[in-house]
Amino acid sequence: GRRTTRNAEFLVDRPALDRHLRQAARSAGARLVCAAGTPAAGVADLGPHGRIEARHVVDARGRAGLGRAGGRRAPFATLALCGWLAPARPVQPGLRIAALASGWTWIAVLPDGRIWAQFTCDARAEGGIAERLLEAAAEVLPEAGRLVLLQDRPLAREAAPVLPRPTIDLD
C-alpha cells in the first residue's frame, strides 16, 4: 500500500480481482466467452465455437500464447518455485525483489505475517525444490529466522524466457 512515483505495486487476492474484472466488463456490455481460440487481425477463431470479429483483438494468453505460434525458447531450462512461507520472527510487510547468484526472487510479506515467495532459477541446479525456495528466501529475509513452507511442497513451473517471432503486420 505504499505509493511511489517510480512504481506502484499492490498485493491483491487474484481470484477476487478476476471476479471484479469480469463483472466490470459485463456491466460495460462485454460478453464473456470461455473457449480456446486463434487470434488474428480483426478476428478470434474459436474453432467449433465460432468466430468473434472485432476492430481490435488482444492476445492476452501470456507465455502460453507463444507456444503454438513458434516463439523461440531460451537454450536452458528455468524453473519458478513458489510458495507460502511462515517466518520464525516477525518481518516488516512489503515487497522485496533480489538478484542472487543462484537466480532471483520476488517476495511479498503480508501484514498477517505470511510470506509469498517466488524463486526463479536454473532447473539443473542441485537440491530439492522446497530446499531451494527456502534457501533463496532466507538469503533475502535473514531477519525472518527459520522459514517454514506452509504447504506440502512449493509450486514449480517452467519459466524459460520466450522470444516472440518478429512482428510483420503491425495493423
Side-chain angles (χ1 to χ4, degrees):
R2 185 170 38 173
R3 293 178 183 257
T4 68
T5 56
R6 289 186 170 185
N7 190 5
E9 294 183 4
F10 301 92
L11 300 176
V12 298
D13 175 351
R14 183 58 192 254
L17 175 64
D18 290 345
R19 281 190 303 276
H20 171 77
L21 292 174
R22 283 191 291 275
Q23 183 55 43
R26 284 187 193 106
S27 295
R31 178 173 51 109
L32 180 63
V33 177
C34 296
T38 304
V43 66
D45 183 357
L46 304 177
H49 301 286
R51 294 166 50 104
I52 297 176
E53 293 187 20
R55 189 167 168 200
H56 298 285
V57 175
V58 177
D59 182 2
R61 295 174 290 158
R63 300 171 62 79
L66 295 172
R68 285 182 279 147
R72 297 173 293 155
R73 295 213 174 269
F76 51 87
T78 306
L79 288 178
L81 309 176
C82 311
W84 287 104
L85 310 177
R89 294 188 294 270
V91 179
Q92 180 70 28
L95 298 173
R96 288 137 175 104
I97 299 173
L100 308 174
S102 56
W104 68 273
T105 62
W106 183 93
I107 294 176
V109 181
L110 302 183
D112 67 8
R114 290 179 303 148
I115 297 169
W116 176 259
Q118 176 175 308
F119 176 50
T120 304
C121 57
D122 187 332
R124 300 167 297 178
E126 293 184 21
I129 61 174
E131 174 189 24
R132 292 163 70 183
L133 177 63
L134 289 167
E135 285 177 3
E139 189 173 342
V140 176
L141 297 171
E143 70 275 21
R146 183 172 180 270
L147 293 165
V148 177
L149 194 60
L150 293 177
Q151 66 254 29
D152 291 338
R153 61 181 175 262
L155 304 170
R157 64 176 172 76
E158 188 257 344
V162 177
L163 301 173
R165 293 185 317 229
T167 302
I168 297 170
D169 180 8
L170 297 177
D171 185 10

Coordinates of all heavy atoms in Angstrom, one line a residue, residues 36-119:
A36 N -11.0 -21.7 -26.3 CA -9.7 -21.5 -26.9 C -9.8 -21.0 -28.3 O -10.7 -21.4 -29.0 CB -8.9 -22.9 -26.9
G37 N -8.9 -20.1 -28.6 CA -9.0 -19.5 -30.0 C -7.7 -19.2 -30.5 O -6.7 -19.3 -29.9
T38 N -7.7 -18.8 -31.8 CA -6.5 -18.4 -32.5 C -6.7 -16.9 -32.9 O -7.6 -16.7 -33.7 CB -6.3 -19.3 -33.8 OG1 -6.2 -20.6 -33.3 CG2 -5.0 -18.9 -34.5
P39 N -6.0 -16.0 -32.3 CA -6.2 -14.6 -32.7 C -5.5 -14.3 -34.0 O -4.5 -14.8 -34.4 CB -5.5 -13.9 -31.5 CG -4.5 -14.8 -31.0 CD -5.0 -16.2 -31.3
A40 N -6.1 -13.3 -34.7 CA -5.6 -12.8 -35.9 C -6.1 -11.3 -36.0 O -6.9 -10.9 -35.2 CB -6.0 -13.6 -37.1
A41 N -5.6 -10.6 -37.0 CA -6.1 -9.2 -37.2 C -7.6 -9.2 -37.4 O -8.1 -9.8 -38.4 CB -5.3 -8.6 -38.3
G42 N -8.3 -8.6 -36.5 CA -9.8 -8.4 -36.6 C -10.6 -9.6 -36.3 O -11.9 -9.5 -36.5
V43 N -10.1 -10.7 -35.9 CA -10.9 -11.9 -35.6 C -10.2 -12.8 -34.6 O -9.0 -12.8 -34.5 CB -11.2 -12.7 -36.9 CG1 -9.9 -13.3 -37.5 CG2 -12.2 -13.7 -36.7
A44 N -11.0 -13.5 -33.9 CA -10.6 -14.6 -33.0 C -11.3 -15.8 -33.4 O -12.6 -15.9 -33.3 CB -10.8 -14.3 -31.5
D45 N -10.6 -16.8 -34.0 CA -11.3 -18.0 -34.5 C -11.4 -19.0 -33.3 O -10.4 -19.4 -32.8 CB -10.4 -18.6 -35.6 CG -11.0 -19.9 -36.2 OD1 -12.1 -20.3 -35.7 OD2 -10.4 -20.4 -37.1
L46 N -12.6 -19.3 -32.9 CA -12.8 -20.2 -31.8 C -13.1 -21.6 -32.2 O -13.7 -22.4 -31.4 CB -14.0 -19.6 -30.9 CG -13.8 -18.2 -30.4 CD1 -15.0 -17.7 -29.6 CD2 -12.5 -18.1 -29.6
G47 N -12.8 -22.0 -33.4 CA -13.0 -23.4 -33.8 C -14.5 -23.7 -33.8 O -15.3 -22.9 -34.4
P48 N -14.9 -24.8 -33.2 CA -16.3 -25.2 -33.2 C -17.2 -24.2 -32.5 O -18.4 -24.3 -32.6 CB -16.3 -26.5 -32.5 CG -15.0 -26.6 -31.7 CD -14.0 -25.7 -32.4
H49 N -16.6 -23.3 -31.7 CA -17.4 -22.3 -31.0 C -17.7 -21.0 -31.8 O -18.3 -20.0 -31.3 CB -16.8 -21.9 -29.7 CG -16.6 -23.1 -28.8 ND1 -17.6 -23.7 -28.1 CD2 -15.5 -23.8 -28.5 CE1 -17.2 -24.7 -27.4 NE2 -15.9 -24.8 -27.6
G50 N -17.2 -21.0 -33.1 CA -17.5 -19.8 -34.0 C -16.3 -18.9 -34.1 O -15.1 -19.3 -33.8
R51 N -16.6 -17.7 -34.4 CA -15.6 -16.6 -34.6 C -16.1 -15.3 -34.0 O -17.3 -15.1 -33.9 CB -15.4 -16.3 -36.1 CG -14.8 -17.4 -36.9 CD -14.9 -17.2 -38.4 NE -14.5 -15.9 -38.9 CZ -13.4 -15.6 -39.5 NH1 -12.6 -16.6 -39.7 NH2 -13.0 -14.4 -39.9
I52 N -15.2 -14.6 -33.5 CA -15.6 -13.2 -32.9 C -14.8 -12.2 -33.8 O -13.6 -12.3 -33.8 CB -15.2 -13.1 -31.5 CG1 -16.0 -14.1 -30.6 CG2 -15.5 -11.7 -31.0 CD1 -15.6 -14.1 -29.1
E53 N -15.6 -11.3 -34.4 CA -14.9 -10.3 -35.2 C -14.9 -9.0 -34.3 O -15.9 -8.7 -33.6 CB -15.7 -10.0 -36.5 CG -15.5 -11.2 -37.5 CD -16.1 -11.0 -38.8 OE1 -16.3 -9.8 -39.2 OE2 -16.4 -12.0 -39.5
A54 N -13.8 -8.3 -34.4 CA -13.7 -7.1 -33.6 C -12.7 -6.2 -34.3 O -11.8 -6.6 -35.0 CB -13.1 -7.5 -32.2
R55 N -12.8 -4.9 -33.9 CA -11.9 -3.9 -34.5 C -10.5 -4.2 -34.0 O -9.5 -4.0 -34.7 CB -12.4 -2.6 -34.1 CG -11.7 -1.4 -34.8 CD -12.4 -0.2 -34.5 NE -11.6 0.9 -35.0 CZ -11.7 2.2 -34.6 NH1 -12.7 2.5 -33.8 NH2 -10.9 3.1 -35.0
H56 N -10.4 -4.6 -32.7 CA -9.1 -4.9 -32.1 C -9.2 -6.2 -31.4 O -10.1 -6.5 -30.7 CB -8.7 -3.8 -31.1 CG -8.5 -2.4 -31.7 ND1 -7.4 -2.1 -32.4 CD2 -9.3 -1.4 -31.6 CE1 -7.6 -0.8 -32.8 NE2 -8.7 -0.4 -32.3
V57 N -8.2 -7.1 -31.6 CA -8.1 -8.3 -31.0 C -6.8 -8.3 -30.1 O -5.7 -8.0 -30.6 CB -8.0 -9.5 -32.0 CG1 -7.8 -10.8 -31.2 CG2 -9.3 -9.6 -32.8
V58 N -6.9 -8.6 -28.8 CA -5.8 -8.6 -27.9 C -5.5 -10.1 -27.5 O -6.4 -10.7 -27.0 CB -6.0 -7.7 -26.7 CG1 -4.9 -7.8 -25.7 CG2 -6.3 -6.3 -27.1
D59 N -4.3 -10.6 -27.8 CA -3.9 -11.9 -27.4 C -3.3 -11.8 -26.0 O -2.2 -11.4 -25.9 CB -3.0 -12.5 -28.4 CG -2.5 -13.9 -28.1 OD1 -3.0 -14.5 -27.1 OD2 -1.7 -14.4 -28.8
A60 N -4.1 -12.1 -25.0 CA -3.6 -11.9 -23.6 C -3.4 -13.2 -22.9 O -3.7 -13.4 -21.7 CB -4.6 -11.0 -22.9
R61 N -2.8 -14.2 -23.6 CA -2.6 -15.5 -23.0 C -1.2 -15.6 -22.3 O -0.8 -16.6 -21.8 CB -2.7 -16.6 -24.1 CG -4.1 -16.7 -24.6 CD -4.1 -17.7 -25.8 NE -3.4 -17.1 -26.9 CZ -2.8 -17.8 -27.9 NH1 -2.9 -19.1 -27.9 NH2 -2.2 -17.3 -28.9
G62 N -0.5 -14.5 -22.3 CA 0.9 -14.5 -21.7 C 1.8 -15.5 -22.4 O 1.8 -15.6 -23.6
R63 N 2.6 -16.2 -21.6 CA 3.6 -17.1 -22.1 C 2.9 -18.2 -22.9 O 3.5 -18.7 -23.8 CB 4.4 -17.7 -20.9 CG 5.1 -16.6 -20.1 CD 5.7 -17.2 -18.9 NE 6.7 -18.3 -19.2 CZ 7.9 -18.1 -19.6 NH1 8.3 -16.8 -19.7 NH2 8.7 -19.0 -19.8
A64 N 1.7 -18.6 -22.5 CA 1.1 -19.7 -23.2 C 0.8 -19.4 -24.7 O 0.7 -20.2 -25.5 CB -0.2 -20.1 -22.5
G65 N 0.6 -18.1 -25.0 CA 0.3 -17.7 -26.3 C 1.4 -17.9 -27.3 O 1.2 -18.0 -28.5
L66 N 2.6 -18.0 -26.9 CA 3.7 -18.2 -27.8 C 4.0 -19.7 -28.1 O 4.7 -20.0 -29.0 CB 5.0 -17.6 -27.2 CG 4.9 -16.1 -27.0 CD1 6.1 -15.6 -26.3 CD2 4.8 -15.4 -28.4
G67 N 3.4 -20.6 -27.4 CA 3.7 -22.0 -27.6 C 3.4 -22.5 -29.0 O 4.2 -23.1 -29.6
R68 N 2.2 -22.2 -29.4 CA 1.8 -22.6 -30.8 C 2.3 -21.7 -31.9 O 2.4 -22.2 -33.0 CB 0.3 -22.7 -30.9 CG -0.3 -23.8 -30.1 CD -1.8 -23.8 -30.3 NE -2.4 -22.9 -29.3 CZ -3.4 -22.1 -29.6 NH1 -4.1 -22.2 -30.7 NH2 -3.9 -21.3 -28.6
A69 N 2.6 -20.5 -31.5 CA 3.0 -19.5 -32.6 C 4.4 -19.6 -32.9 O 4.9 -18.8 -33.7 CB 2.6 -18.1 -32.1
G70 N 5.2 -20.5 -32.4 CA 6.6 -20.7 -32.8 C 7.5 -19.7 -32.1 O 8.6 -19.4 -32.7
G71 N 7.2 -19.3 -30.9 CA 8.2 -18.5 -30.1 C 9.4 -19.3 -29.9 O 9.5 -20.5 -29.9
R72 N 10.5 -18.6 -29.8 CA 11.8 -19.2 -29.5 C 12.1 -19.3 -28.1 O 12.1 -18.3 -27.4 CB 12.9 -18.4 -30.3 CG 12.7 -18.4 -31.8 CD 13.7 -17.5 -32.4 NE 13.4 -16.1 -32.0 CZ 14.2 -15.1 -32.0 NH1 15.5 -15.3 -32.3 NH2 13.9 -13.9 -31.6
R73 N 12.4 -20.5 -27.6 CA 12.7 -20.7 -26.2 C 14.2 -20.5 -25.9 O 15.0 -20.7 -26.8 CB 12.3 -22.0 -25.7 CG 10.8 -22.2 -25.8 CD 10.3 -23.1 -24.6 NE 8.9 -23.2 -24.6 CZ 8.1 -22.3 -23.9 NH1 8.7 -21.4 -23.1 NH2 6.8 -22.4 -23.9
A74 N 14.6 -20.1 -24.7 CA 16.0 -20.0 -24.4 C 16.6 -21.4 -24.4 O 15.9 -22.4 -24.2 CB 16.1 -19.4 -23.0
P75 N 17.9 -21.5 -24.6 CA 18.5 -22.8 -24.7 C 18.8 -23.5 -23.3 O 19.5 -24.4 -23.2 CB 19.9 -22.4 -25.4 CG 20.1 -21.1 -24.9 CD 18.8 -20.4 -24.9
F76 N 18.2 -23.0 -22.3 CA 18.4 -23.6 -20.9 C 17.0 -23.6 -20.3 O 16.1 -22.9 -20.5 CB 19.4 -22.7 -20.1 CG 19.0 -21.3 -20.1 CD1 18.1 -20.8 -19.1 CD2 19.6 -20.4 -21.0 CE1 17.8 -19.4 -19.1 CE2 19.3 -19.0 -21.0 CZ 18.4 -18.6 -20.0
A77 N 16.9 -24.6 -19.3 CA 15.6 -24.8 -18.6 C 15.6 -23.9 -17.3 O 16.6 -23.9 -16.6 CB 15.4 -26.2 -18.3
T78 N 14.6 -23.2 -17.1 CA 14.4 -22.3 -15.9 C 13.2 -22.7 -15.2 O 12.1 -23.0 -15.8 CB 14.4 -20.8 -16.4 OG1 15.5 -20.6 -17.2 CG2 14.4 -19.9 -15.2
L79 N 13.2 -22.7 -13.9 CA 12.1 -23.0 -13.0 C 11.7 -21.8 -12.2 O 12.6 -21.0 -11.8 CB 12.4 -24.1 -12.0 CG 12.5 -25.5 -12.6 CD1 12.9 -26.5 -11.4 CD2 11.3 -26.0 -13.2
A80 N 10.4 -21.6 -12.0 CA 9.9 -20.7 -11.0 C 9.3 -21.5 -9.9 O 8.4 -22.3 -10.1 CB 8.8 -19.8 -11.6
L81 N 9.9 -21.4 -8.7 CA 9.4 -22.1 -7.5 C 8.7 -21.1 -6.6 O 9.2 -20.1 -6.3 CB 10.6 -22.7 -6.7 CG 11.6 -23.5 -7.6 CD1 12.8 -23.9 -6.7 CD2 10.9 -24.7 -8.2
C82 N 7.4 -21.5 -6.2 CA 6.6 -20.5 -5.5 C 6.0 -21.2 -4.3 O 5.6 -22.4 -4.4 CB 5.5 -20.0 -6.4 SG 6.0 -19.4 -8.0
G83 N 5.7 -20.4 -3.2 CA 5.0 -21.0 -2.1 C 4.8 -20.0 -1.0 O 5.5 -19.0 -0.9
W84 N 3.9 -20.4 -0.1 CA 3.6 -19.6 1.1 C 4.6 -20.0 2.2 O 4.8 -21.2 2.5 CB 2.2 -19.8 1.6 CG 1.2 -19.1 0.8 CD1 0.4 -19.7 -0.1 CD2 0.9 -17.7 0.8 NE1 -0.4 -18.7 -0.7 CE2 -0.1 -17.5 -0.2 CE3 1.4 -16.6 1.5 CZ2 -0.6 -16.2 -0.4 CZ3 0.9 -15.3 1.2 CH2 -0.1 -15.2 0.3
L85 N 5.2 -19.1 2.9 CA 6.2 -19.4 4.0 C 5.7 -18.7 5.3 O 5.0 -17.7 5.2 CB 7.6 -18.8 3.6 CG 8.1 -19.2 2.2 CD1 9.5 -18.6 2.0 CD2 8.2 -20.7 2.1
A86 N 6.2 -19.2 6.4 CA 6.0 -18.6 7.7 C 7.3 -18.4 8.3 O 8.2 -19.2 8.3 CB 5.2 -19.5 8.6
P87 N 7.6 -17.1 8.8 CA 8.8 -16.8 9.5 C 8.8 -17.2 10.9 O 7.8 -17.3 11.6 CB 8.9 -15.3 9.3 CG 7.5 -14.9 9.4 CD 6.7 -16.0 8.7
A88 N 10.1 -17.4 11.5 CA 10.2 -17.6 12.9 C 10.0 -16.3 13.7 O 9.5 -16.3 14.8 CB 11.5 -18.3 13.2
R89 N 10.4 -15.2 13.1 CA 10.3 -13.9 13.7 C 9.5 -12.9 12.8 O 9.6 -13.1 11.6 CB 11.7 -13.3 14.0 CG 12.5 -14.1 15.0 CD 13.8 -13.4 15.3 NE 14.8 -13.3 14.2 CZ 15.7 -14.2 13.9 NH1 15.8 -15.3 14.7 NH2 16.5 -14.0 12.9
P90 N 8.9 -12.0 13.3 CA 8.1 -11.0 12.5 C 9.0 -10.3 11.5 O 10.2 -10.0 11.8 CB 7.5 -10.0 13.5 CG 7.5 -10.7 14.8 CD 8.7 -11.6 14.8
V91 N 8.5 -10.0 10.3 CA 9.2 -9.3 9.2 C 8.3 -8.2 8.8 O 7.1 -8.3 8.7 CB 9.4 -10.3 8.0 CG1 10.1 -9.6 6.9 CG2 10.2 -11.5 8.5
Q92 N 8.9 -7.1 8.5 CA 8.2 -5.9 8.0 C 7.5 -6.2 6.7 O 8.1 -6.7 5.8 CB 9.3 -4.7 7.8 CG 8.7 -3.4 7.3 CD 7.8 -2.7 8.4 OE1 8.1 -2.9 9.6 NE2 6.8 -2.0 8.0
P93 N 6.2 -5.9 6.7 CA 5.4 -6.2 5.4 C 6.0 -5.3 4.3 O 6.5 -4.3 4.5 CB 4.0 -5.7 5.8 CG 3.9 -5.8 7.3 CD 5.3 -5.4 7.8
G94 N 5.8 -5.9 3.1 CA 6.3 -5.2 1.9 C 6.8 -6.1 0.8 O 6.7 -7.4 1.0
L95 N 7.3 -5.6 -0.3 CA 7.8 -6.3 -1.4 C 9.3 -6.3 -1.4 O 9.9 -5.3 -1.1 CB 7.3 -5.8 -2.7 CG 5.8 -5.8 -2.9 CD1 5.4 -5.1 -4.2 CD2 5.3 -7.3 -2.9
R96 N 9.9 -7.4 -1.8 CA 11.3 -7.4 -2.0 C 11.7 -8.2 -3.3 O 11.1 -9.3 -3.5 CB 12.0 -8.1 -0.8 CG 12.0 -7.3 0.5 CD 11.7 -8.2 1.6 NE 11.8 -7.5 2.9 CZ 10.7 -7.2 3.6 NH1 9.5 -7.3 3.1 NH2 10.8 -6.6 4.8
I97 N 12.5 -7.6 -4.1 CA 13.0 -8.3 -5.3 C 14.5 -8.3 -5.2 O 15.1 -7.2 -4.9 CB 12.5 -7.6 -6.6 CG1 11.0 -7.6 -6.6 CG2 13.1 -8.2 -7.8 CD1 10.4 -6.7 -7.7
A98 N 15.1 -9.5 -5.4 CA 16.5 -9.5 -5.2 C 17.2 -10.5 -6.2 O 16.6 -11.5 -6.5 CB 16.9 -10.0 -3.8
A99 N 18.3 -10.0 -6.8 CA 19.1 -10.9 -7.7 C 20.1 -11.6 -6.8 O 20.8 -11.0 -6.0 CB 19.8 -10.0 -8.7
L100 N 20.1 -12.9 -6.9 CA 21.0 -13.8 -6.2 C 22.0 -14.5 -7.1 O 21.7 -14.5 -8.3 CB 20.2 -14.8 -5.4 CG 19.1 -14.3 -4.5 CD1 18.3 -15.5 -3.9 CD2 19.7 -13.4 -3.4
A101 N 23.1 -15.0 -6.6 CA 24.0 -15.8 -7.5 C 23.3 -17.0 -8.2 O 23.6 -17.4 -9.3 CB 25.2 -16.2 -6.7
S102 N 22.3 -17.5 -7.5 CA 21.6 -18.7 -8.0 C 20.3 -18.4 -8.7 O 19.6 -19.4 -9.2 CB 21.3 -19.7 -6.8 OG 20.6 -19.0 -5.8
G103 N 19.9 -17.2 -8.9 CA 18.6 -16.8 -9.5 C 18.1 -15.5 -9.0 O 18.9 -14.7 -8.6
W104 N 16.8 -15.3 -9.1 CA 16.2 -14.1 -8.5 C 15.0 -14.4 -7.8 O 14.3 -15.4 -8.1 CB 16.1 -13.0 -9.6 CG 15.0 -13.3 -10.6 CD1 15.1 -14.0 -11.7 CD2 13.6 -12.9 -10.5 NE1 13.9 -14.0 -12.4 CE2 13.0 -13.4 -11.7 CE3 12.9 -12.2 -9.6 CZ2 11.6 -13.2 -12.0 CZ3 11.5 -12.0 -9.9 CH2 10.9 -12.5 -11.0
T105 N 14.6 -13.6 -6.8 CA 13.4 -13.8 -6.0 C 12.5 -12.6 -6.1 O 12.9 -11.4 -6.2 CB 13.7 -14.0 -4.5 OG1 14.4 -12.9 -4.0 CG2 14.6 -15.2 -4.3
W106 N 11.2 -12.9 -5.9 CA 10.2 -11.9 -5.7 C 9.4 -12.3 -4.5 O 8.9 -13.4 -4.4 CB 9.2 -11.9 -6.9 CG 8.2 -10.8 -6.9 CD1 8.2 -9.6 -7.4 CD2 6.9 -11.0 -6.3 NE1 7.1 -8.9 -7.2 CE2 6.2 -9.7 -6.5 CE3 6.2 -12.0 -5.6 CZ2 4.9 -9.5 -6.1 CZ3 4.9 -11.7 -5.2 CH2 4.3 -10.5 -5.4
I107 N 9.5 -11.5 -3.4 CA 8.9 -11.9 -2.1 C 7.9 -10.8 -1.7 O 8.2 -9.6 -1.7 CB 10.0 -12.1 -1.1 CG1 10.9 -13.3 -1.5 CG2 9.4 -12.3 0.3 CD1 12.0 -13.5 -0.6
A108 N 6.7 -11.2 -1.2 CA 5.7 -10.3 -0.6 C 5.5 -10.8 0.8 O 5.1 -11.9 1.0 CB 4.4 -10.4 -1.4
V109 N 5.7 -9.9 1.7 CA 5.4 -10.1 3.1 C 4.1 -9.4 3.5 O 4.0 -8.2 3.4 CB 6.6 -9.6 4.1 CG1 6.2 -9.9 5.5 CG2 7.9 -10.2 3.7
L110 N 3.1 -10.2 3.8 CA 1.8 -9.6 4.1 C 1.7 -9.1 5.5 O 2.4 -9.6 6.4 CB 0.7 -10.7 3.8 CG 0.7 -11.2 2.4 CD1 -0.5 -12.2 2.3 CD2 0.6 -10.1 1.4
P111 N 0.7 -8.2 5.8 CA 0.6 -7.7 7.2 C 0.3 -8.8 8.2 O 0.6 -8.7 9.4 CB -0.6 -6.7 7.1 CG -0.5 -6.3 5.6 CD -0.1 -7.5 4.9
D112 N -0.4 -9.9 7.8 CA -0.7 -11.0 8.7 C 0.5 -11.9 9.0 O 0.4 -12.9 9.7 CB -1.9 -11.8 8.2 CG -1.6 -12.6 6.9 OD1 -0.4 -12.7 6.5 OD2 -2.6 -13.2 6.4
G113 N 1.7 -11.6 8.4 CA 2.9 -12.4 8.6 C 3.2 -13.4 7.6 O 4.4 -13.9 7.5
R114 N 2.3 -13.8 6.8 CA 2.6 -14.8 5.8 C 3.5 -14.2 4.7 O 3.4 -13.0 4.5 CB 1.3 -15.3 5.1 CG 0.4 -16.1 6.0 CD -0.8 -16.6 5.2 NE -1.6 -15.4 4.8 CZ -2.3 -15.4 3.6 NH1 -2.4 -16.4 2.9 NH2 -2.9 -14.3 3.3
I115 N 4.2 -15.0 4.1 CA 5.2 -14.6 3.1 C 4.9 -15.4 1.8 O 4.9 -16.7 1.8 CB 6.6 -14.8 3.5 CG1 6.9 -14.0 4.8 CG2 7.6 -14.5 2.4 CD1 8.2 -14.3 5.4
W116 N 4.7 -14.7 0.7 CA 4.7 -15.4 -0.6 C 6.0 -15.2 -1.3 O 6.5 -14.1 -1.4 CB 3.6 -14.8 -1.5 CG 3.6 -15.4 -2.9 CD1 4.1 -14.9 -4.0 CD2 3.1 -16.7 -3.2 NE1 3.9 -15.8 -5.1 CE2 3.3 -16.9 -4.6 CE3 2.5 -17.7 -2.5 CZ2 2.9 -18.1 -5.3 CZ3 2.1 -18.9 -3.2 CH2 2.3 -19.0 -4.6
A117 N 6.7 -16.3 -1.7 CA 8.0 -16.2 -2.3 C 8.0 -16.9 -3.6 O 7.4 -18.0 -3.8 CB 9.0 -16.8 -1.4
Q118 N 8.7 -16.3 -4.6 CA 8.9 -16.9 -5.9 C 10.4 -16.8 -6.1 O 11.0 -15.8 -6.0 CB 8.2 -16.2 -7.0 CG 8.5 -16.8 -8.4 CD 7.7 -16.2 -9.5 OE1 6.5 -16.2 -9.4 NE2 8.3 -15.7 -10.5
F119 N 11.0 -18.0 -6.5 CA 12.4 -18.0 -6.8 C 12.6 -18.6 -8.2 O 12.1 -19.7 -8.5 CB 13.1 -18.9 -5.8 CG 14.6 -19.2 -6.0 CD1 15.4 -18.1 -6.3 CD2 15.1 -20.5 -6.0 CE1 16.8 -18.4 -6.5 CE2 16.4 -20.7 -6.2 CZ 17.3 -19.7 -6.5

